[in-house]
Amino acid sequence: MLWSVRARKLTPAGALTGGVLGALIFLGAGWWGIALLGLFFGLGTAASAWKVAEKRRLGLAEENKGRRTAGQALANAGIAALLGALSWYSPAHQDLFQLMLAGSFAAATADTLSSELGNIYGRRYYNAWTLRPDTRGLNGVVSLEGTLLGVAGSGLIAVVYSLGVGWHRGFFWLVVAGTVGNLADSLLGATVERQHYVSNNAVNTLNTAVGAVTAGLLYWLG
């Protein structure tokens, strides 16, 4: 928390909020849960800083110089913290809640990498809702390259989860959950967010919720 403030990666309120969320995640998933949080934060920070001069030139750089606020911390890790608390409170359903927790991070990571790196490496950009060519950087605009980078991000989350709880079908479930959450984020961005009905933080919260629910459904179906 102190490092993130000194390094200007989080605002003070964002760091405090992240600490509380991290404590809840630790209660429900232990050190591998904290590793998921750290991996998401590290990848997101690195992706935001990657070729930042070019992003600024193109008007694609994040506001507030990329410093995450308390609202952004809640939007990206609030669902995971809630599932951590449920995992701690209900040990009988711990496997389900822990998988859903990882699913929320898979979706958050996929969204962050696909948007931050897709804006740099994408070749053709499309509206996620209409599938017509659209302007890079607008809400709900996707590229093949960015989508694949998002899938890779979900895979990294799945690796850490598997190292923590063991290798099983949950690895593939998380890759699917992250991708579905990322797609939902893009569809919401192209519709309700672009029309200013909801904020970016609300869309990110829904993204992580979709990732968590998808992972949970795959758990029950599997």
Side-chain angles (χ1 to χ4, degrees):
M1 291 165 60
L2 292 173
W3 173 86
S4 65
V5 173
R6 294 187 62 182
R8 303 183 67 82
K9 303 302 181 183
L10 288 172
T11 64
L16 180 60
T17 302
V20 173
L21 297 175
L24 292 173
I25 291 168
F26 177 78
L27 280 177
W31 289 110
W32 68 262
I34 295 297
L36 291 182
L37 175 61
L39 179 61
F40 162 71
F41 179 68
L43 289 174
T45 299
S48 297
W50 184 253
K51 296 193 175 183
V52 69
E54 182 177 349
K55 292 177 184 176
R56 287 173 180 160
R57 179 176 60 83
L58 296 170
L60 301 173
E62 288 191 351
E63 299 178 358
N64 201 27
K65 297 183 179 180
R67 297 178 75 189
R68 301 298 199 273
T69 64
Q72 288 172 310
L74 280 170
N76 287 297
I79 295 295
L82 173 61
L83 290 164
L86 290 172
S87 175
W88 170 75
Y89 180 76
S90 179
H93 301 97
Q94 189 174 73
D95 291 347
L96 171 62
F97 290 135
Q98 287 182 348
L99 179 71
M100 293 177 69
L101 184 157
S104 72
F105 275 126
T109 304
D111 170 49
T112 300
L113 295 189
S114 64
S115 59
E116 290 290 343
L117 300 181
N119 281 333
I120 296 297
Y121 295 109
R123 295 184 179 181
R124 296 182 178 86
Y125 297 90
Y126 302 92
N127 185 294
W129 181 254
T130 65
L131 299 181
R132 295 175 180 174
D134 209 337
T135 304
R136 170 172 57 174
L138 292 182
N139 294 326
V141 173
V142 299
S143 67
L144 174 61
E145 294 79 7
T147 301
L148 292 176
L149 286 164
V151 173
S154 296
L156 291 174
I157 293 294
V159 167
V160 174
Y161 167 83
S162 299
L163 290 173
V165 304
W167 295 87
H168 53 72
R169 287 176 293 179
F171 176 92
F172 302 102
W173 294 342
L174 290 177
V175 174
V176 172
T179 303
V180 171
N182 189 24
L183 177 60
D185 184 282
S186 298
L187 291 173
L188 290 168
T191 53
V192 291
E193 184 181 4
R194 192 177 288 200
Q195 297 298 320
H196 305 292
Y197 292 131
V198 297
S199 67
N200 180 254
N201 284 345
V203 171
N204 285 338
T205 301
L206 291 170
N207 162 41
T208 59
V210 170
V213 170
T214 301
L217 287 174
L218 291 172
Y219 175 90
W220 284 111
L221 292 174

